[in-house]
């Protein structure tokens, strides 16, 4: 392979032909939630693929918080997100929950409840409840976290399945304001252009 | 931001006859009302297939598009330009991650998409099959190829599929510095020495034909995509997008004293549309089918990356992690 790029010319030749990847040669799926500012709720932003939740946290930071303001993120395995039906129109997703009888012997845990308040937008953290199962957590969300608006989808995540940002990790986002070269405002060339255009005009005249 | 005019094969709508007419009507009414479709909503198989195809092409374009620009990181003029270009290329690869995730919500796994890229089954934007000979080529890509992509993607961000629109909103917001950076680089060349001006003029001459191809075949010859427009998968025709780009950027290029290699390029004051020499669509087809100057190199670089990364993926593999379809 002869390339204009010296780095490409230095690449080794393949010892074997790659036809397809090994089946399911890919990592796990983790959901990413971002808090843009203090006092703003966490909201769902997307996913990363990772081998474990620690790597998912690092990749989430790289993928979702390079540019925008951010104070904290958390990640969780997609399989740990319990999801209600997705509704539309005036149907509240909470009204579609199946009946559930709590078992008094189950251990109580904290769950984070997320609401989808507008279709097409992201799921936003509505609050925390204590319950023994995700189904019970959703029912408690129905009782305690609604504010009158229809909720189109509910997610419940057991807090112990979440990798939160630790206080000492908050510094991860402290460098953002220093990297001015990533801001459009750092590329001002208006004066240079104006001088050039004026000069061209004079030359033409 | 590299997503260009997507290639659509002729759309066969006969599969719609197998769809439940009531569900199809409700689906279309929802789109007509401006509501978004989410992954667990009912959707026709054709809508799913075409969306996967479009989002996947866009994602591939982001990682392949990083190659001709990435070439210039080590040779960018000065520390600041290196930092900027590195950040931009990092963004583009990050955009691929967002787009692959959006496509995955429709049921195609990321590894299937990478397989299809490596085997040549899936396409990417044709423009990245051309070489970036000089720094000025890199500046052309940063300013004008990105500008073309922004025209397309701002339109697509108003489309009907929720996860794709959300990814595009994030991508477009991250783009604000790319366009300014590209324009800044070009102003420096334009206001520099005669040699610098000549370098950029030569870059324009090389890239103008691929840039005109970028928005896809002319509406006169392109596959019928009415159903995709109706379903808001595609938000404008190829010619509309091309015209919008010409409207926004030809005056800026002329203002800098450069010429464009098309004697017929002019805006018709009556129709308010740009007229130009019909691009060579036979060349477009040849390049998209693998005969461009860099097709083989682009795919080979990805294949080597795939092979060289194998041990990392094997080392990372953990039995407790499992691939599942993303939620939203």
């Amino acid at each position: 392979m002869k390339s204009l790029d010296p780095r490409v010319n230095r690449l080794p030749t393949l010892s074997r032909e790659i036809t397809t990847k090994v089946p399911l040669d890919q990592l796990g799926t983790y959901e990413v939630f971002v808090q843009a500012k203090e006092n703003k709720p966490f909201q769902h932003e997307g996913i990363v693929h990772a081998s474990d939740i620690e790597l998912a946290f690092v990749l989430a930071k790289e993928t979702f918080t390079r540019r925008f303001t951010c104070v904290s993120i958390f990640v969780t395995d997609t399989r740990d997100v319990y999801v209600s039906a997705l509704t539309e129109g005036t149907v509240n997703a909470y009204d579609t929950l199946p009946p559930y009888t709590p078992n008094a012997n189950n251990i109580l845990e904290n769950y984070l409840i997320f609401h989808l308040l507008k279709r097409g937008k992201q799921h936003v953290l509505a609050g925390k409840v204590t319950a023994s199962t995700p189904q019970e957590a959703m029912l408690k969300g129905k009782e305690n976290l609604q504010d009158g608006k229809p909720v189109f989808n509910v997610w419940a995540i057991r807090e112990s399945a979440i990798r939160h940002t630790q206080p000492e990790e908050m510094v991860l986002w402290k460098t953002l304001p220093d990297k001015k070269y990533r801001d459009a405002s750092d590329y001002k060339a208006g004066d240079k252009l104006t001088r050039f255009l004026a000069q061209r005009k004079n030359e033409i005249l | 931001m590299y997503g260009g005019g997507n290639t659509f094969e002729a759309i066969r709508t006969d599969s719609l006859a197998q769809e439940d007419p009531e569900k199809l009507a409700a689906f279309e009414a929802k789109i007509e009302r401006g509501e978004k479709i989410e992954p667990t909503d009912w959707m026709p198989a054709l809508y799913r297939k075409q969306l996967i195809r479009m989002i996947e092409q866009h994602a591939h374009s982001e990682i392949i598009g990083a190659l001709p620009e990435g070439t210039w990181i080590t040779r960018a003029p000065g520390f600041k330009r290196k930092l900027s270009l590195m950040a931009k290329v990092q963004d583009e690869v990050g955009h691929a991650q967002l787009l692959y995730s959006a496509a995955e919500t429709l049921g195609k796994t990321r590894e299937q998409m990478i397989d299809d890229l490596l085997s040549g089954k899936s396409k990417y934007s044709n423009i990245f099959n051309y070489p970036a000979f000089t720094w000025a080529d890199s500046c052309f890509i940063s300013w004008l190829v990105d500008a073309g992509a922004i025209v397309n993607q701002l339109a697509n961000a108003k489309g009907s599929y929720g996860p794709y629109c959300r990814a595009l909103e994030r991508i477009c917001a991250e783009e604000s510095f790319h366009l300014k950076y590209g324009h800044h680089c070009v102003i420096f060349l334009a206001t520099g020495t005669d040699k610098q001006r000549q370098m950029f003029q030569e870059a324009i001459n090389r890239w103008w034909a691929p840039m005109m191809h970028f928005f896809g075949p002319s509406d006169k010859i392109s596959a019928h995509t009415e159903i995709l427009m109706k379903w808001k998968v595609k938000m404008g025709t190829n010619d509309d997008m091309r015209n919008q780009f010409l409207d926004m950027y030809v005056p800026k290029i002329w203002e800098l004293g450069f010429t464009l290699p098309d004697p017929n390029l002019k805006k018709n004051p009556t129709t308010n549309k740009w007229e130009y020499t019909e691009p060579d669509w036979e060349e477009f087809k040849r390049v998209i089918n693998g005969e461009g100057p860099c097709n083989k190199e682009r795919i080979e670089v990805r294949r080597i990356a795939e092979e060289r990364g194998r041990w990392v993926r094997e080392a990372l593999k953990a039995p407790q992690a499992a691939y599942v379809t993303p939620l939203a």
Side-chain angles (χ1 to χ4, degrees), chain B residues 87-103:
Chain B
K88 178 179 187 302
V89 170
Q90 186 193 22
D91 279 357
E92 309 297 9
V93 176
H95 296 167
Q97 308 289 331
L98 301 179
L99 292 161
Y100 282 128
S101 305

Side-chain angles (χ1 to χ4, degrees), chain A residues 75-88:
Chain A
V75 293
T76 191
D77 191 317
T78 300
R79 292 170 297 175
D80 286 323
V81 182
Y82 296 88
V83 180
S84 78
L86 177 68
T87 59
E88 58 189 283

Side-chain angles (χ1 to χ4, degrees), chain B residues 107-297:
Chain B
K108 184 167 183 178
T109 66
R110 192 171 303 199
E111 75 176 346
Q112 283 174 324
M113 289 187 261
I114 300 291
D115 274 347
D116 288 348
L117 171 67
L118 297 182
S119 71
K121 188 177 166 194
S122 289
K123 305 297 182 196
Y124 52 86
S125 188
N126 223 20
I127 204 162
F128 301 119
N129 289 317
Y130 291 86
F133 286 109
T134 69
W135 167 246
D137 291 314
S138 165
C139 298
F140 185 100
I141 298 174
S142 297
W143 185 32
L144 293 166
V145 178
D146 269 47
I150 288 170
V151 166
N152 272 330
Q153 307 315 326
L154 282 175
N156 283 346
K158 297 185 180 76
S160 62
Y161 189 57
Y164 186 41
C165 297
R166 289 192 287 275
L168 286 176
E169 274 170 25
R170 177 170 272 274
I171 289 170
C172 289
E174 287 190 4
E175 282 295 322
S176 58
F177 111 75
H178 297 186
L179 195 61
K180 292 287 275 185
Y181 155 78
H183 195 208
H184 194 263
C185 290
V186 171
I187 288 175
F188 271 64
L189 290 178
T191 59
T193 63
D194 289 348
K195 182 76 188 160
Q196 285 173 306
R197 286 187 58 81
Q198 187 193 341
M199 247 172 75
F200 193 67
Q201 182 61 63
E202 286 169 2
I204 293 177
N205 297 347
R206 275 192 290 274
W207 286 84
W208 192 248
M211 191 73 237
M212 292 296 280
H213 287 154
F214 180 79
F215 299 92
S218 151
D219 296 348
K220 285 174 276 188
I221 58 165
S222 65
H224 295 294
T225 52
E226 290 88 354
I227 190 85
L228 300 183
M229 303 272 280
K230 184 179 176 189
W231 287 346
K232 296 185 184 171
V233 170
K234 203 170 151 69
M235 296 299 287
T237 72
N238 294 348
D239 284 344
D240 284 346
M241 296 289 118
R242 196 168 7 250
N243 193 69
Q244 213 180 105
F245 168 78
L246 294 172
D247 222 19
M248 290 168 80
Y249 291 95
V250 169
K252 290 186 200 296
I253 297 168
W254 282 343
E255 180 185 54
L256 292 171
F258 294 112
T259 58
L260 290 164
D262 180 356
N264 299 318
L265 183 68
K266 62 174 186 302
K267 191 168 184 178
N268 182 328
T270 315
T271 60
N272 221 19
K273 301 267 184 203
W274 285 83
E275 292 172 357
Y276 43 81
T277 307
E278 194 63 32
D280 180 354
W281 298 116
E282 287 309 311
E283 184 192 334
F284 175 81
K285 275 188 214 157
R286 272 196 305 278
V287 176
I288 215 155
N289 288 323
E291 297 302 315
C294 294
N295 297 56
K296 289 187 180 64
E297 175 183 333

